[in-house]
Amino acid sequence: MYMYGLFCCVASLLLAGSCLACQPPDCDHPDCGTCGNACCCLELKFEQSAPNLYDTFVKSFKSGGVDGRYRFVNGSDLRPYKIPNGAQFILQAVHTTLVHHYNDTLNFVLASNSSASTTVRAFSVSQIANAYCDAGQNYKNLVGFVKALGEDYSETKLFGCPNPKSAT
């Protein structure tokens, strides 16, 4: 009887874990502990000015983003500080997972490459303590938001959210 109870407990935990995991698409870059907790950091390049792109990001976050679960926290115009690397704007948002149980913090820095080109450093980290692995959720938070903007962009992974392992 003990073994049956143990089996049921383990099966329930596995089923619950699969229900709480990242929901496709874009869950194919899982991270385990790169930042202590799970995280993802991307560099995104857009052919749009930093001020226009910042306004687009803020408007989308304030409206809830593609899935209605993004929330704008704060943003700042850094241009008065004349930061040497070209950083012009910084902003933060929170994304709540599908089951409305977990929150992840998203940070963005927008740097101008030219009057019509912007590099964005995008970062997502799981908020809960001990979120060692994320089933790809932090990557999904970033690319799901950016894809929904409808803007052309290129992506480079800086750390966390490794590329999927190729089938052998």
Side-chain angles (χ1 to χ4, degrees):
M1 189 56 125
Y2 171 77
M3 291 304 288
Y4 176 75
L6 182 61
F7 171 78
C8 289
C9 181
V10 169
S12 296
L13 287 172
L14 289 173
L15 180 59
S18 68
C19 293
L20 299 176
C22 183
Q23 301 295 311
D26 298 319
C27 297
D28 56 346
H29 293 77
D31 183 66
C32 288
T34 297
C35 299
N37 264 12
C39 70
C40 182
C41 186
L42 304 175
E43 182 176 87
L44 309 168
K45 294 193 186 235
F46 294 84
E47 294 303 317
Q48 190 175 146
S49 72
N52 288 345
L53 190 60
Y54 176 77
D55 290 343
T56 300
F57 273 46
V58 170
K59 182 179 178 185
S60 184
F61 281 130
K62 285 184 174 181
S63 69
V66 65
D67 61 10
R69 298 189 312 267
Y70 288 89
R71 181 174 47 87
F72 179 74
V73 175
N74 201 352
S76 295
D77 184 345
L78 302 174
R79 291 175 294 181
Y81 306 108
K82 298 181 183 4
I83 296 173
N85 71 356
Q88 292 191 342
F89 298 94
I90 189 167
L91 63 98
Q92 186 174 74
V94 171
H95 182 256
T96 303
T97 59
L98 181 63
V99 295
H100 297 274
H101 188 70
Y102 300 108
N103 292 317
D104 301 315
T105 300
L106 286 67
N107 291 297
F108 299 85
V109 174
L110 287 72
S112 178
N113 302 324
S114 68
S115 62
S117 177
T118 302
T119 297
V120 177
R121 172 82 50 108
F123 183 80
S124 177
V125 64
S126 301
Q127 278 188 8
I128 63 168
N130 305 316
Y132 187 73
C133 294
D134 68 357
Q137 185 65 51
N138 283 297
Y139 178 78
K140 179 186 178 80
N141 293 341
L142 298 173
V143 298
F145 174 78
V146 171
K147 284 179 178 179
L149 296 176
E151 302 289 335
D152 290 333
Y153 72 97
S154 65
E155 165 189 316
T156 303
K157 285 168 208 63
L158 299 179
F159 57 89
C161 53
N163 286 330
K165 294 188 173 134
S166 59
T168 54

